[in-house]
Amino acid sequence: MFSRSHEAMAIFWKDCYEAFMVNLHRREREKGESKLKFQEFFVEPFTRRARQENLRYNSMLKQMTLQHSATLRQWKAAYRELVCARGPWADRCPTPLHWKLSSAENYSRMRLKLVPNYSFDPHVDASALRDNLGVQHSQPSNESLLLEAAKQVKVSGLEDDMLDLPEEELAPGSTNEDGDQNQKEKLVITEDCELITVMDIIPGRLEVTTQHIYFFDGSIEKEEGVGYDFKWPLSQIREMHLRRYNLRRSALEIFLIDQTNYFLNFKKEQRNKVYSRILSLHTPNLPGTRSPQELLKASGLTQKWVNREISNFDYLIQLNTIAGRTYNDLAQYPVFPWILADYTSEELDLNNPAIFRDLSKPIGVANEKNAKCVRERYENFEDPTGTIDKFHYGTHYSNAAGVMHYLIRVEPFTTLHIQLQSGRWVCPLFDCADRQFHSIPATWQALMDNPNDVKELIPEFFYFPEFLENQNDFDLGRLQLTKDRVNHVVLPNWAKSPEEFIYKHRKALESEFVSAHLHEWIDLIFGFKQRGPAAIEALNVFYYCTYEGAVDLDSIVNEKERKALEGMISNFGQTPCQLLKEPHPVRLSSEEVEKRQSKLDSYPLSIFQNLSELKSFFVEVKGGGISDNIPIVKAVVPKNQAHSFMSQGSPDTLVTVSQNCLIGTHGWLPYDRSISNYFTFTRDPTVSSPKCDLPDVTRMCALVPQRHTWQCLRSIRPDQPLATSSFVQSPVPTFQLVTEPSAILAPWHILEKHQR
């Protein structure tokens, strides 16, 4: 009986427990469902609304900031218009004007234009920090670790940077060009990339369509209305070349017919795809998939230089361009040679060979005393790991620091110099005055005394006198020994002004001695002495990380380590692409050219051989009321002419504007010794037609191309007849206009006359 009651009691408690657990689970489930419903109907809407409000608030703050910035820019622009030299308040509120170098180039790839620097910074703090720190050595960096990383990604072989594209990639489209114009613009390819400029690396996206190329600035901090967004018509592309960036074959450089150029860096595998797609659109003037070596050979530049049809400067700048040197990347800046060895004489005698540098030797051994030290360094160097090849020089003749060293007085390179120093210190500051570029004679003497200093020159030494002057009045410090303030660059004794230095230095570059020996320097930098046994014999071997294709950065998995190595390569310097693997031909002497010309009646005269015979032509047209005593007030070369960087001389068209608002275009006649008057000016017989006698109408006549000339295009009034003109062509043509000096007016004067 007890066992039965015990069993019944156990069953009862079991039922109670089960009922309790069921109720407990039901309550927990209901509690969970209630919590989910509370989350769904209260918490999530509140959180979502709060997030939306925060986004709206932040967006409003950003919009207000952008509006404030835009308004401030507009007010500053309006203020500048009022107080500028041509503004109504120019005399009331004179403000000091500061300048910076523009990226605009002329047809010889010279950057001559200075533009106002409205965001000028005198860098007072950088000067003060330099003075407070004094002369100290920078802290040791992690370059040794980076060099170890570079050893692991060394590339044993070097292949030409050239694409082998399948035929279908370059197949012509199914419709003709006119048909494509009428079709809707279609997207061809889009890829992420970086726009490389002197100051910044701008991330963004490149889109190629059937008609245009677009770049959209993807910078996080980009302000509305301010950025690097741009759009190019495909027809505006003049040249497009494969480039390297940080020794990686991943970049393209695009040259437009308005003389602008853009340097774009992609992922390595994406660059070739973009390049082939642009080629498949059959953009005019593109050279296809030629390597730099083939491009130089096809251009005919070497033969033109040998025959003295182009100048030494033009040939060197084109070699730099073909070899991948660019103004957009300081690590691959164009390189020019030191050509003189005399910076102390009072007079510069270009007929004396002793004043010139030996161009057959690298700058590091231009002084014979340094040759033994350099040779011993190469022979005694041994890398225990066998990774680092022997080298003569641990530094390079062209790098970012060297470019900023020379251009420290010109913005934006002043700012870049300070940023470079901020990488060595925790704060931005100027370098010590004694290490700055303060004297041309002292710089040359330092090269002669120190075999580790192997800096060559930059193109600005031959055309840009402003970089020798401290026009922005930066505080560059004082020299330790003399306590002299570093200001303008100290010039050689034979130059009394920066302009005179540039004139004589450029004249020395074009001298007979340099012309006869420049091919030897080209062999060292771009030719067969750049690599291999010839480079070893010429004492011309640099650290292997400076040579193209020597390091494969993509094999580094660690992103931070790869970025650090890229920065080291960018500052260390890069050797140009090797253009020639055989000795460069020698330039003909002036006597040899004259003999050749005398044998060929059809051989065009070279302007360089007849500088003393240059003359201008004056043409006076009478009758009909045409331009009687009416001067030309403006002459300009249009920017939209398809002029390849490999073509020399001025472009095909010159546009002139007369004081009575007549517009003329002028072109070039082929050379013909039988022509007595090279300048022709003829009246268009079509003006006698009654159709031309429309009252009070301004008309433009059509551009009539002839076989060898361009007819003059003029905007005429009913009482003014139509005229045509043309100029004679020469190997390096130069437009010349003969007008009264008082009649040559600036463009703003024309506007003022029209407004009145």
Side-chain angles (χ1 to χ4, degrees):
M1 185 175 178
F2 177 77
S3 63
R4 285 198 300 271
S5 60
H6 179 73
E7 183 177 355
M9 186 61 68
I11 293 173
F12 173 75
W13 283 112
K14 181 180 179 182
D15 293 340
C16 291
Y17 179 75
E18 290 178 352
F20 172 76
M21 294 303 297
V22 169
N23 291 333
L24 180 62
H25 290 161
R26 186 174 65 252
R27 287 196 301 270
E28 291 294 333
R29 185 174 63 254
E30 291 174 351
K31 183 179 179 181
E33 292 175 352
S34 177
K35 182 183 293 185
L36 291 175
K37 289 182 179 180
F38 182 80
Q39 188 83 12
E40 179 182 358
F41 292 104
F42 291 95
V43 177
E44 289 183 359
F46 178 82
T47 305
R48 185 166 53 251
R49 185 61 181 272
R51 187 165 53 249
Q52 292 175 351
E53 288 297 317
N54 287 333
L55 290 175
R56 189 176 67 85
Y57 177 74
N58 293 332
S59 177
M60 182 185 65
L61 287 180
K62 183 178 180 181
Q63 185 177 2
M64 292 176 61
T65 303
L66 294 176
Q67 290 177 350
H68 176 75
S69 300
T71 304
L72 187 60
R73 287 197 305 272
Q74 293 173 0
W75 275 110
K76 288 182 178 179
Y79 176 77
R80 289 195 297 266
E81 290 292 333
L82 292 172
V83 301
C84 69
R86 302 188 299 274
W89 295 351
D91 298 332
R92 298 184 187 179
C93 185
T95 57
L97 192 59
H98 301 281
W99 303 91
K100 64 179 179 180
L101 183 63
S102 170
S103 60
E105 300 178 8
N106 64 10
Y107 287 95
S108 294
R109 299 219 63 190
M110 298 180 186
R111 297 185 304 169
L112 297 164
K113 185 177 182 181
L114 291 172
V115 295
N117 186 6
Y118 297 120
S119 57
F120 174 73
D121 182 359
H123 300 296
V124 176
D125 293 339
S127 300
L129 287 170
R130 175 207 56 223
D131 297 336
N132 291 335
L133 287 175
V135 181
Q136 301 180 16
H137 297 287
S138 58
Q139 297 295 327
S141 64
N142 59 346
E143 286 191 4
S144 59
L145 299 177
L146 296 177
L147 291 176
E148 291 298 327
K151 295 178 185 179
Q152 302 174 8
V153 294
K154 180 181 177 182
V155 178
S156 57
L158 175 64
E159 299 177 356
D160 290 336
D161 194 3
M162 180 178 175
L163 296 179
D164 294 326
L165 300 179
E167 294 295 333
E168 56 269 18
E169 290 285 356
L170 302 179
S174 58
T175 59
N176 57 25
E177 185 177 352
D178 294 335
D180 291 340
Q181 293 290 337
N182 298 326
Q183 290 182 356
K184 185 178 180 180
E185 186 174 12
K186 296 181 180 179
L187 180 65
V188 176
I189 188 174
T190 177
E191 293 291 347
D192 293 334
C193 64
E194 296 172 329
L195 176 65
I196 309 300
T197 67
V198 171
M199 289 296 295
D200 299 300
I201 299 176
I202 299 96
R205 186 178 76 259
L206 187 75
E207 292 186 359
V208 179
T209 70
T210 53
Q211 297 179 11
H212 297 88
I213 294 180
Y214 300 86
F215 178 81
F216 299 100
D217 189 344
S219 303
I220 299 177
E221 300 178 354
K222 185 186 73 170
E223 297 182 11
E224 184 178 358
V226 178
Y228 289 88
D229 297 343
F230 47 71
K231 168 186 174 183
W232 317 316
L234 288 174
S235 59
Q236 299 293 307
I237 298 179
R238 187 190 71 208
E239 304 282 348
M240 182 174 64
H241 298 286
L242 301 172
R243 295 298 192 217
R244 291 166 172 81
Y245 182 66
N246 283 338
L247 299 179
R248 184 195 287 114
R249 297 169 176 175
S250 60
L252 290 176
E253 190 166 23
I254 300 176
F255 296 82
L256 305 182
I257 64 177
D258 63 353
Q259 296 307 115
T260 59
N261 51 80
Y262 298 88
F263 195 92
L264 299 170
N265 184 46
F266 299 85
K267 293 181 179 178
K268 188 175 181 180
E269 62 276 5
Q270 302 301 331
R271 178 199 67 168
N272 297 346
K273 185 188 299 184
V274 173
Y275 184 77
S276 62
R277 292 295 177 86
I278 296 178
L279 287 181
S280 68
L281 297 173
H282 280 264
T283 305
N285 302 322
L286 293 186
T289 58
R290 292 174 180 165
S291 65
Q293 296 82 2
E294 292 180 343
L295 188 60
L296 174 62
K297 185 176 181 180
S299 69
L301 286 170
T302 300
Q303 194 59 39
K304 289 181 180 179
W305 177 78
V306 170
N307 295 334
R308 290 180 172 263
E309 296 178 19
I310 60 176
S311 66
N312 291 337
F313 179 89
D314 285 331
Y315 187 51
L316 287 176
I317 199 66
Q318 304 308 338
L319 286 180
N320 274 278
T321 302
I322 295 175
R325 312 301 285 186
T326 173
Y327 289 119
N328 296 307
D329 182 11
L330 294 182
Q332 302 182 86
Y333 207 79
V335 55
F336 270 59
W338 286 90
I339 57 174
L340 295 174
D342 182 3
Y343 296 94
T344 57
S345 300
E346 294 295 331
E347 297 293 334
L348 189 65
D349 182 9
L350 297 181
N351 295 320
N352 180 12
I355 70 168
F356 293 97
R357 162 211 170 174
D358 187 351
L359 291 170
S360 66
K361 299 177 181 179
I363 191 63
V365 291
N367 185 351
E368 283 290 345
K369 298 179 181 179
N370 297 331
K372 180 180 179 181
C373 174
V374 170
R375 187 177 291 106
E376 290 178 351
R377 178 191 301 151
Y378 179 87
E379 294 174 351
N380 297 332
F381 178 81
E382 290 293 340
D383 179 25
T385 65
T387 303
I388 302 179
D389 300 328
K390 292 184 176 182
F391 56 89
H392 293 112
Y393 313 101
T395 57
H396 202 259
Y397 52 78
S398 177
N399 53 39
V403 175
M404 290 180 275
H405 174 76
Y406 288 133
L407 298 177
I408 186 175
R409 291 163 177 80
V410 182
E411 287 285 16
F413 299 97
T414 310
T415 301
L416 291 172
H417 167 85
I418 294 173
Q419 291 176 357
L420 177 66
Q421 295 301 315
S422 67
R424 300 177 180 177
W425 302 89
V426 295
C427 50
L429 72 164
F430 279 108
D431 195 6
C432 170
D434 292 81
R435 289 194 293 261
Q436 292 176 8
F437 176 52
H438 63 275
S439 169
I440 295 177
T443 301
W444 172 255
Q445 190 59 44
L447 290 172
M448 295 299 97
D449 297 339
N450 183 9
N452 296 319
D453 189 354
V454 294
K455 288 191 297 292
E456 290 280 13
L457 298 183
I458 55 177
E460 284 78 0
F461 272 84
F462 300 93
Y463 68 82
F464 189 57
E466 286 79 4
F467 89 99
L468 298 171
E469 297 178 304
N470 187 13
Q471 295 184 353
N472 291 317
D473 198 26
F474 294 118
D475 181 4
L476 301 177
R478 294 182 179 274
L479 299 177
Q480 286 183 316
L481 296 179
T482 63
K483 304 301 179 182
D484 293 334
R485 179 174 179 261
V486 175
N487 193 22
H488 305 311
V489 176
V490 177
L491 302 175
N493 293 334
W494 43 261
K496 306 306 179 185
S497 67
E499 290 77 15
E500 184 180 3
F501 170 80
I502 295 297
Y503 170 76
K504 291 185 176 180
H505 202 219
R506 178 68 180 274
K507 193 174 182 179
L509 178 64
E510 306 298 339
S511 65
E512 286 296 327
F513 181 89
V514 175
S515 295
H517 296 275
L518 186 59
H519 66 281
E520 298 173 336
W521 184 83
I522 294 174
D523 285 334
L524 294 171
I525 306 301
F526 304 103
F528 78 106
K529 291 184 180 180
Q530 184 192 102
R531 298 169 179 265
I536 298 174
E537 183 179 355
L539 304 180
N540 193 42
V541 180
F542 296 84
Y543 192 77
Y544 80 95
C545 272
T546 65
Y547 291 96
E548 59 171 349
V551 174
D552 184 10
L553 291 173
D554 295 315
S555 62
I556 301 180
V557 180
N558 189 308
E559 179 74 14
K560 184 177 180 180
E561 186 176 344
R562 186 174 72 249
K563 291 292 184 183
L565 184 57
E566 287 178 353
M568 186 201 75
I569 293 174
S570 178
N571 293 324
F572 201 77
Q574 300 177 38
T575 302
C577 175
Q578 188 177 18
L579 299 179
L580 298 166
K581 296 185 179 180
E582 63 278 345
H584 192 285
V586 182
R587 198 180 200 193
L588 296 177
S589 65
S590 301
E591 293 76 12
E592 292 172 330
V593 172
E594 290 177 359
K595 291 180 181 179
R596 177 176 296 188
Q597 290 178 353
S598 62
K599 296 178 181 179
L600 300 174
D601 293 337
S602 60
Y603 194 87
L605 296 176
S606 172
I607 193 173
F608 302 110
Q609 303 300 322
N610 300 273
L611 293 175
S612 60
E613 300 179 11
L614 289 180
K615 62 179 180 179
S616 58
F617 296 89
F618 178 78
V619 177
E620 183 178 2
V621 180
K622 297 181 179 180
I626 261 187
S627 61
D628 291 333
N629 298 321
I630 298 177
I632 291 176
V633 295
K634 179 67 175 177
V636 66
V637 176
K639 291 186 176 181
N640 59 348
Q641 301 183 69
H643 190 74
S644 170
F645 75 84
M646 292 185 297
S647 302
Q648 298 302 310
S650 300
D652 298 328
T653 304
L654 173 74
V655 178
T656 59
V657 181
S658 63
Q659 198 173 39
N660 60 343
C661 304
L662 299 186
I663 301 175
T665 63
H666 312 268
W668 297 98
L669 286 171
Y671 174 75
D672 188 350
R673 293 190 177 185
S674 62
I675 298 178
S676 58
N677 184 9
Y678 299 112
F679 183 87
T680 61
F681 193 99
T682 59
R683 180 174 177 177
D684 194 325
T686 58
V687 298
S688 60
S689 172
K691 296 181 180 180
C692 295
D693 298 331
L694 299 178
D696 302 328
V697 178
T698 300
R699 301 184 298 278
M700 294 290 291
C701 70
L703 181 68
V704 184
Q706 295 183 347
R707 183 175 180 180
H708 296 300
T709 63
W710 290 94
Q711 292 285 355
C712 178
L713 175 66
R714 285 188 176 269
S715 172
I716 60 172
R717 298 194 301 252
D719 59 338
Q720 297 290 348
L722 188 65
T724 61
S725 64
S726 60
F727 287 128
V728 66
Q729 184 183 26
S730 64
V732 182
T734 303
F735 291 110
Q736 297 191 30
L737 298 174
V738 181
T739 61
E740 299 177 3
S742 60
I744 302 178
L745 304 179
W748 52 85
H749 293 152
I750 299 176
L751 294 177
E752 291 177 355
K753 288 179 179 293
H754 281 242
Q755 291 171 356
R756 289 198 293 266

